[in-house]
Structure formats: C-alpha cells, structure tokens
C-alpha cells in the first residue's frame, strides 16, 4: 500500500459504515468478510483502526454465532498480526493459495510460494484460529491433472476446515486474455478441466469434506456463512472502493478507485455511483440461478414464502426442460442440480435468466 492514502481511506470507510448502517439498519449481523484484495498488508496500527471501525458500526454487542473472516495472501501475516486479528474478533481466515506448484504460482504472477502457505497456517494455529479456508484454482495454463492431484494431496495434508476451488476464468483486458487471443496461452482441454473437477469432488468426498456448493467444500459445521448469504439471495453491505451492496431490494455500486471513492464520501457521505431497484422477476431469477449453486438446491416452500408464487408456475417449463436434459433433479421439496448438472451449471443458470 506504499504511496496510497491508507489512513484517509480508512477514515472514509468509517464514515461509510456509519452512514450506511443509519440509512439501512440491520436487525442481525451473521457474517463479516474483509476481502476484495489483501487487507492484511495493512500495518498493525492500521489494522487496529480498521477493526475499531468495524466493531463500532457493524458488530453487535455479542460475537456469538458471528462469522468474521479476513482474506489474506500466504506470507502476508506475522504472528503479531494474527494475534491482533484474533483479539479483534476475527475467527475465520481465507487464504488465496491457488496451487502448490511453485512454477505455476510464478507463471500466474503470485508472489507467495508453497512454503509460505505451510508457515502461515502453522502461525494461524499458534494464534488460535480453528477455522481456516484455502482458495484453489484449477485449469491453469500448463496445469495437468497430475499437477492438480498433487495440489489437492498437499492441501488436504494441512487439515484445514474449508476449501473453495474454481476453474480459471479469463477476464477481458488481462495478460491471460491477450495471450489467449494470440494463441500463446496453453490452457488444459475441456476434457482435462472436467477431469480436474471430477477429481476435486471425489477427493473431497473421500476426505470427509461436504460439497455444499458447486465450488465449495467444508467439514461439517464449517460451511461459509458469507458465501451462503450470496447463494441464498440475501441482502448485504458492501463497504469500500468498488464494493457492491444489496440493500432494501436495491443493488448499489460504490465509486472506485480509492481517490474517487474518498471524494464521493467527502461530498455526500456516501460513495454510491449506481443504485438500481431489483424488480420482482429479476429477484426470482436470481433466487434460481444463485440457489442452484448449492447442492441442497432451491426450496420450493421457501420460494413460495418469499414471493407468494409457486416455483413451477413461474419456471415450470424451464425446470422440466433442464430435467429432461438430465441436468436438474425435481423433488417434492427442492430443485437441484444433478451430478452431470454440476459440470454444466452455467448452461442451467442461463435457462432462468431474462425470461419474464
């Protein structure tokens, strides 16, 4: 964060938290997730300021049942910082590991190495953390199925409580995107990507990690409340530059980068650049394509309670179509992806978008 106005930014976020909670009060806070980059690059003094703001505006009087997660890069955290986070109420850590192959880490521009992961998790345990999640990526350039198997074996040896594992997404205007367009990016075949996903699911199941969402696996009781907030289509605050919120039926986007964000806060007390009410038909679509990411699927009863409509009256044609393709399972209580449907999730989700 060298050269960045860090203290001023933390002050702006303090103002946003205060004003947002006053404008959109909450009755219960179940999860706080600090991410969107690497917040642990803050100094100890800056972390203390930031944690104080969170406690002042967002955390209820009791921490009971609150999931409080900090995202971090392996190697960023000292024991002192970890103890500071623990004392500040943080009870869950999420590390962007990606892979345990050092050559692959270098090729995708990551600065940490596998030894950093081992050391950081050991420090986290010393500091008293009992809920640790690792993020993995597969289908990386030049990655083989054997490479990914080795990463999974090493990851499991660390005995953490939660894993998120996603296939690589090539974003426009990135180095990988430009290389892909030039034909110089050696990505695994679709067959090998599918083989990696199958290996992931089989390996996690054999090691007692429950798959509760397409890309997420947890020991019993360690499912991420933060992730489930999105997939249950529930509302949430988004604080900081470029953050997004879903509040009182409205999608709200914040200004970014940091200087634009701070200017908006100074002018109006809010950083909002876009506020869009979400019509009911879009909320129903979101209920389907977000909820279907969960292995438990979409509850028919919950859908009816939430929208006052029977799910089959709204989406019956699409549900039957996807069921006939072998991608959806329709039970008396839920609609959920089949095993085959997990591989073709995006195709299924697309079937429920823009219908009404």
């Amino acid at each position: 964060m060298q050269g960045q106005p860090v203290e001023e930014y933390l002050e702006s976020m303090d103002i946003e938290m205060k004003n947002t909670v006053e404008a959109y009060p909450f009755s219960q806070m179940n999860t706080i997730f600090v991410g969107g980059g690497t917040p642990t690059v803050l100094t100890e003094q800056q972390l203390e300021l930031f944690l104080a703001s969170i406690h002042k505006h967002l955390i209820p009087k009791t921490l009971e049942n609150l999931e409080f997660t900090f995202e971090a890069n392996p190697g960023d955290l000292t024991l002192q910082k970890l103890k500071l986070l623990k004392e500040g109420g943080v009870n869950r850590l999420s590390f962007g590991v990606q892979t345990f192959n050092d050559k692959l880490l270098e090729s995708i521009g990551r600065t940490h190495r596998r030894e950093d992961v081992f050391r950081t998790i050991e420090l986290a345990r010393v500091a008293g953390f009992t809920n640790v999640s690792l993020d993995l990526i597969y289908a990386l350039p030049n990655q083989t199925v054997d490479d990914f198997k080795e990463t999974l074996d090493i990851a499991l040896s660390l005995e953490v409580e939660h894993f998120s594992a996603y296939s690589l997404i090539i974003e426009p205007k990135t180095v990988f995107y430009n290389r892909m367009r030039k034909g110089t990016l050696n990505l695994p075949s679709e067959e090998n990507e599918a083989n990696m996903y199958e290996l992931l699911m089989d390996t996690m199941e054999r090691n007692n990690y429950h798959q509760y969402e397409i890309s997420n696996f947890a020991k019993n009781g360690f499912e991420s409340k933060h992730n489930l907030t999105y997939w249950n289509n529930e509302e949430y605050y988004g604080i900081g530059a470029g953050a997004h919120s879903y509040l009182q039926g409205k999608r709200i986007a914040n200004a970014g980068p940091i200087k634009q964000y701070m200017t908006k806060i100074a002018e109006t007390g809010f950083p909002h650049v876009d506020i869009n009410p979400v019509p009911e038909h879009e909320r129903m679509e979101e209920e389907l394509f977000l909820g279907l990411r969960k292995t438990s699927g979409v509850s028919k009863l919950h859908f009816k309670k939430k929208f006052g409509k029977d799910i089959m009256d709204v989406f019956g044609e699409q549900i039957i179509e996807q069921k006939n393709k072998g991608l959806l399972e329709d039970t008396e209580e839920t609609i959920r992806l089949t095993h085959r449907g997990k591989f073709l999730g995006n195709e299924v989700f697309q079937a429920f978008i823009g219908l009404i």
Side-chain angles (χ1 to χ4, degrees):
M1 304 279 293
Q2 191 173 2
Q4 293 285 350
V6 178
E7 279 77 14
E8 295 92 332
Y9 181 44
L10 293 175
E11 289 171 13
S12 294
M13 283 198 290
D14 182 85
I15 294 168
E16 185 191 2
M17 288 182 213
K18 176 181 180 295
N19 292 344
T20 299
V21 170
E22 288 177 356
Y24 304 93
F26 65 89
S27 58
Q28 186 175 9
M29 183 71 69
N30 295 320
T31 170
I32 293 173
F33 188 98
V34 181
T38 51
T40 48
V41 301
L42 296 173
T43 66
E44 290 173 23
Q45 185 180 12
Q46 290 163 352
L47 273 175
E48 285 182 341
L49 284 171
F50 187 36
L51 288 165
S53 289
I54 292 172
H55 275 270
K56 184 166 59 176
H57 302 300
L58 297 178
I59 292 183
K61 291 179 181 178
T62 174
L63 287 173
E64 188 178 354
N65 296 324
L66 176 74
E67 178 188 272
F68 189 179
T69 305
F70 250 72
E71 196 171 58
N73 274 339
D76 275 353
L77 288 168
T78 62
L79 181 58
Q80 190 56 40
K81 277 189 183 181
L82 284 160
K83 287 179 177 179
L84 180 64
L85 292 174
K86 194 77 172 63
E87 289 165 5
V90 177
N91 53 23
R92 184 174 184 270
L93 297 172
S94 178
F95 293 108
V97 171
Q98 321 313 1
T99 175
F100 283 94
N101 182 317
D102 282 347
K103 286 184 178 179
L104 285 178
L105 284 170
E106 186 176 359
S107 73
I108 62 175
R110 304 294 293 189
T111 57
H112 75 271
R113 296 296 177 260
R114 60 195 285 175
E115 289 298 328
D116 295 320
V117 182
F118 304 150
R119 184 170 57 255
T120 303
I121 291 176
E122 184 178 351
L123 289 176
R125 298 306 195 193
V126 170
F129 284 94
T130 57
N131 191 353
V132 175
S133 178
L134 303 186
D135 285 358
L136 305 175
I137 298 180
Y138 60 94
L140 292 165
N142 300 307
Q143 187 179 39
T144 66
V145 175
D146 285 341
D147 281 332
F148 186 52
K149 182 181 185 305
E150 181 183 30
T151 277
L152 289 176
D153 290 342
I154 295 170
L156 289 165
S157 74
L158 295 170
E159 298 184 341
V160 298
E161 288 69 35
H162 185 280
F163 288 102
S164 297
Y166 301 92
S167 63
L168 178 68
I169 297 173
I170 308 293
E171 300 285 358
K173 299 180 182 179
T174 61
V175 173
F176 279 176
Y177 181 77
N178 293 334
R179 284 178 57 192
M180 184 177 70
R181 291 190 65 186
K182 292 175 183 176
T184 60
L185 190 65
N186 185 24
L187 292 171
S189 65
E190 287 186 6
E191 180 183 359
N192 276 343
E193 180 178 340
N195 288 339
M196 290 181 198
Y197 185 47
E198 186 78 68
L199 175 66
L200 170 69
M201 290 190 289
D202 290 347
T203 303
M204 290 295 166
E205 183 178 356
R206 280 190 283 105
N207 287 274
N208 298 316
Y209 287 88
H210 163 62
Q211 184 179 20
Y212 67 100
E213 189 267 349
I214 285 179
S215 302
N216 283 264
F217 307 81
K219 292 181 178 178
N220 285 335
F222 289 94
E223 296 84 0
S224 168
K225 292 180 182 179
H226 169 75
N227 293 347
L228 287 169
T229 296
Y230 293 131
W231 302 319
N232 288 330
N233 201 20
E234 296 169 351
E235 298 194 347
Y236 51 86
Y237 296 121
I239 304 294
H244 289 75
S245 303
Y246 182 30
L247 298 167
Q248 295 180 5
K250 293 174 283 192
R251 300 282 182 192
I252 303 171
N254 284 2
I258 287 174
K259 288 186 179 178
Q260 290 180 22
Y261 167 86
M262 292 193 302
T263 298
K264 291 283 288 183
I265 290 285
E267 290 173 350
T268 69
F270 290 94
H272 305 155
V273 291
D274 201 16
I275 300 177
N276 288 310
V278 183
E280 183 184 62
H281 71 272
E282 287 187 18
R283 286 189 283 121
M284 288 191 291
E285 290 173 357
E286 289 171 355
E287 194 78 12
L288 263 290
F289 71 75
L290 291 171
L292 283 172
R293 292 190 62 90
K294 300 178 296 179
T295 54
S296 60
V298 178
S299 163
K300 293 179 178 179
L301 179 61
H302 181 73
F303 186 95
K304 189 158 191 175
K305 282 183 178 179
K306 193 168 184 177
F307 300 106
K309 298 177 182 178
D310 191 293
I311 196 169
M312 295 305 291
D313 290 340
V314 182
F315 295 111
E317 182 180 334
Q318 290 75 30
I319 289 169
I320 292 168
E321 180 185 6
Q322 298 303 310
K323 182 182 175 183
N324 289 339
K325 290 180 179 179
L327 304 180
L328 276 188
E329 179 183 356
D330 177 12
T331 72
E332 188 175 334
E333 298 176 345
T334 63
I335 309 292
R336 59 175 177 251
L337 293 175
T338 61
H339 181 75
R340 181 166 172 259
K342 292 175 185 176
F343 291 85
L344 299 168
N346 288 337
E347 178 183 320
V348 179
F349 308 149
Q350 194 64 39
F352 296 97
I353 298 173
L355 298 172
I356 305 168

